[in-house]
Amino acid sequence: MFVSPLAGKPAPVESLIDPARLEREYYDRRPDVDDTEQLVSFGTSGHRGAPLRSTFTESHVMAVAQAVCDYRRSKGIDGPLYMGRDTHALSGPAQRTALEVLAANGVPAVLQCDDGFTPTPVISHAILAHNRSGTDHLADGIVVTPSHNPPGDGGIKYTLPNGGSPDTGVTKWIEERANEYLLRDNAGIRRVPFAAARRATSTREEDFARAYVDDLRTAIDMDAIRGARLSLGADPLGGASADYWPRINARYGLAIDVVNPAVDPTFASVAVDHDGQIRMDCSSPYAMARLVGLKERYRVAFANDPDADQYGIVTPSAGLMNPNHYLAVAVRYLLTHRPDWPEQAVVGKTLVSSGMIDRVVQRLGRTLWEVPVGFKWFAPGLFDGSCCFVGEESAGASFLRRDGTVWTTDKDGLLLALLAAEITARTGTDLGEHYRELTSEFGAPHYTRVDAPATHEQKTRLQKLSATDVQESVLAGEPIDAVLTRAPGNNAPIGGLKVVTKCGWFAARPSGTEDVYKLYAESFKSRAHLESIVGEAARIVAGAVDRK
């Protein structure tokens, strides 16, 4: 992986975005509908793009918002639509555009009061709270965010009445309908001026933050955190959680030090990522350089991305914890400190997450539920309580309330940050030491993810592989125990393959946006063994694709 000489350092002033220009381009640009790259591409993370590439403009947001209105109508969803936004420069303009369309369609839209920012998990929490009240008028939601994408990007995503991300059937429906509007130059879209949308009887404000913060005690042992008097640090990375940590402090009598409280659409306070761009990725040691530099000051510190659905955990012993490592620690702690969780509830993980989680779950006599990549798979299980904890290798996770009922069905970075404080408070042990205990028992895994070149045709073949397309019987000196093209937890297609041995595995999945496939690999033997797995994996994938 290329690492820029600027990585981990403040961004040069000349590289910062111009928010005013970005907003002008958002309104002025029109997508070229003959260029498929400039149409709506609506996945489980919604549509993302940038005005300067003509991939995120007013036209795109109007089309997506109208498509969401049409979808609601087709499914009889007529309750409130909770809409939040993060701190990206385009999130404000895009939220205004979406509200103009929602109001014209008579959709009852609910916004955070005082024009505040709203994390993704808070919208999930608000939807579930409304729908739990037993009303026949189900709520759903929109979050205007491109997650941790660079400052010049924008994004908009839809949240189902179960509080989680939509499946591919829903996303395809919204994408196709939105592109029908784009291809007609947005003819047929209903829209009113913003001032009228704000005055509309269908538009109202609510304090999402108060309800979410007050409810945190049902999921986290806030008394234990307060009683331990830990030195805690939080870095919102310029994102929506900046509005939340002070309120959490005030509500629970904590003293979490917010090290970077400024909200700046240029994100100038965030260190440059590996490729020389600002990217508010709390899993990146480069973007997290500032907080890692403060690791000796706090017993535990944490960061969130702009919509706070992801987390980064920093401790004195470990620095920035690998998300896989923290997931394993969290699973062990929760399964031994949540006595009211149902014993039959499973632990969910994506199939590219560490095998350390498998070993922890097995040792504790619980059931693992392994699904394809994508947090959407977990929403139903969290909703009905059949999944007690779920996580993915890219720093996304959520879990049940302390009484075993649903908390959120989307990723919740605030929750996982506070869990790190609870674990430290109740055990008195550094999270890095907790992970070392696991490696003493199960061995120290070596994990990597690399991007390998692949043409469009090769990616298509990779996506359609069957187990019989892999003819090899040995991987890196070990017999192959399993070749998977469907996830063992729910039998859903992986969209690639996973090959497993006793002490290692690899998985390969095509990228949806680049001419590469993503190769994940792990060894419980050694770094050299991992390198052998990666090298042989490339040959196995190439052979299987060629035979397809």
Side-chain angles (χ1 to χ4, degrees):
M1 180 177 68
F2 166 76
V3 178
S4 165
L6 295 173
K9 301 175 183 177
V13 174
E14 61 272 15
S15 70
L16 301 179
I17 64 163
D18 178 347
R21 182 198 170 200
L22 203 61
E23 186 167 342
R24 288 195 304 272
E25 296 286 351
Y26 167 81
Y27 287 112
D28 293 345
R29 290 236 187 176
R30 296 289 182 272
D32 178 358
V33 295
D34 293 326
D35 180 358
T36 57
E37 296 290 323
Q38 296 183 33
L39 295 178
V40 170
S41 178
F42 202 92
T44 54
S45 295
H47 175 73
R48 297 180 186 178
L52 300 183
R53 300 193 299 272
S54 298
T55 52
F56 191 85
T57 67
E58 182 185 42
S59 296
H60 292 97
V61 176
M62 288 168 57
V64 168
Q66 184 63 57
V68 167
C69 293
D70 296 347
Y71 176 78
R72 297 179 98 243
R73 193 175 300 113
S74 74
K75 297 300 180 181
I77 302 170
D78 59 357
L81 183 145
Y82 292 92
M83 183 160 61
R85 66 180 175 98
D86 76 357
T87 55
H88 275 79
L90 293 171
S91 293
Q95 186 185 53
R96 292 193 290 272
T97 300
L99 184 62
E100 292 168 357
V101 175
L102 296 174
N105 282 269
V107 172
V110 189
L111 310 177
Q112 170 64 34
C113 61
D114 302 320
D115 199 29
F117 305 111
T118 307
T120 286
V122 176
I123 293 297
S124 178
H125 179 272
I127 292 168
L128 292 171
H130 173 87
N131 292 342
R132 194 163 45 237
S133 66
T135 177
D136 293 331
H137 304 286
L138 291 178
D140 55 2
I142 284 175
V143 187
V144 185
T145 175
S147 189
H148 55 265
N149 277 29
D153 284 12
I156 180 170
K157 60 185 179 180
Y158 177 61
T159 304
L160 292 170
N162 71 0
S165 299
D167 60 27
T168 52
V170 178
T171 57
K172 183 180 180 182
W173 197 102
I174 293 174
E175 177 180 303
E176 290 179 350
R177 180 60 65 94
N179 283 326
E180 287 174 12
Y181 286 117
L182 278 186
L183 292 169
R184 298 198 303 262
D185 197 24
N186 282 350
I189 290 179
R190 302 174 188 172
R191 186 183 185 194
V192 298
F194 180 66
R198 289 293 294 167
R199 292 193 305 268
T201 57
S202 59
T203 301
R204 63 182 174 89
E205 292 186 349
E206 209 173 276
D207 189 1
F208 305 148
R210 173 183 291 180
Y212 177 89
V213 170
D214 284 351
D215 226 11
L216 277 168
R217 60 185 175 79
T218 69
I220 297 290
D221 190 344
M222 304 302 285
D223 292 337
I225 299 173
R226 181 176 58 251
R229 298 184 181 277
L230 301 175
S231 56
L232 301 172
D235 187 345
L237 295 179
S241 64
D243 283 357
Y244 280 70
W245 295 117
R247 297 185 68 154
I248 291 169
N249 279 340
R251 173 65 178 81
Y252 295 103
L254 306 183
I256 300 171
D257 183 14
V258 184
V259 301
N260 180 18
V263 172
D264 166 19
T266 70
F267 294 92
S269 62
V270 180
V272 169
D273 203 3
H274 67 91
D275 58 356
Q277 288 199 73
I278 297 176
R279 186 179 290 102
M280 296 67 71
D281 180 358
C282 45
S283 297
S284 165
Y286 305 106
M288 289 281 284
R290 180 178 181 180
L291 193 61
V292 173
L294 301 174
K295 67 177 184 175
E296 302 298 335
R297 184 182 297 182
Y298 304 107
R299 286 292 302 279
V300 62
F302 25 80
N304 299 113
D305 64 334
D307 70 319
D309 69 345
Q310 295 179 314
Y311 60 84
I313 307 297
V314 174
T315 78
S317 72
L320 177 62
M321 289 191 76
N322 181 295
N324 273 312
H325 298 181
Y326 179 54
L327 287 177
V329 170
V331 167
R332 183 178 71 163
Y333 173 83
L334 287 167
L335 292 183
T336 54
H337 287 78
R338 292 294 188 268
D340 293 330
W341 279 7
E343 290 188 7
Q344 69 274 17
V346 303
V347 174
K349 75 156 199 173
T350 54
L351 55 80
V352 297
S353 301
S354 174
M356 179 65 86
I357 300 168
D358 307 44
R359 287 158 172 78
V360 171
V361 172
Q362 183 179 30
R363 179 57 54 89
L364 293 172
R366 304 298 285 264
T367 301
L368 186 76
W369 192 59
E370 192 172 19
V371 300
V373 172
F375 211 81
K376 64 185 178 184
W377 300 108
F378 298 132
L382 287 169
F383 185 76
D384 65 17
S386 60
C387 285
C388 58
F389 177 95
V390 299
E392 59 184 7
E393 94 296 339
S394 56
S398 190
F399 52 88
L400 299 179
R401 295 173 191 256
R402 294 158 75 184
D403 67 359
T405 59
V406 61
W407 167 251
T408 59
T409 51
D410 213 329
K411 296 177 283 190
D412 193 336
L414 293 160
L415 185 73
L416 272 291
L418 288 167
L419 177 65
E422 180 190 326
I423 296 172
T424 308
R426 291 196 60 181
T427 66
T429 302
D430 183 289
L431 293 163
E433 294 297 332
H434 277 286
Y435 186 69
R436 272 190 277 276
E437 291 174 9
L438 293 178
T439 61
S440 295
E441 183 174 1
F442 300 113
H446 302 268
Y447 182 97
T448 191
R449 197 204 90 181
V450 297
D451 291 344
T455 65
H456 176 75
E457 182 182 2
Q458 289 171 329
K459 291 195 299 179
T460 300
R461 290 180 180 178
L462 174 57
Q463 204 163 22
K464 297 178 179 178
L465 288 180
S466 65
T468 56
D469 291 316
V470 175
Q471 298 181 356
E472 289 79 0
S473 59
V474 175
L475 172 66
E478 290 190 312
I480 291 175
D481 295 329
V483 177
L484 306 173
T485 57
R486 290 181 173 270
N490 60 0
N491 200 38
I494 293 170
L497 81 159
K498 182 176 182 178
V499 176
V500 184
T501 68
K502 179 182 179 181
C503 296
W505 59 269
F506 79 83
R509 298 175 53 249
S511 168
T513 57
E514 302 173 88
D515 290 331
V516 300
Y517 71 86
K518 299 179 186 299
L519 179 66
Y520 308 79
E522 185 173 41
S523 166
F524 272 80
K525 281 187 172 182
S526 65
R527 176 64 59 180
H529 184 238
L530 175 67
E531 291 173 358
S532 294
I533 290 175
V534 171
E536 293 186 24
R539 292 193 290 275
I540 290 173
V541 171
V545 167
D546 287 345
R547 285 189 287 271
K548 188 64 179 176

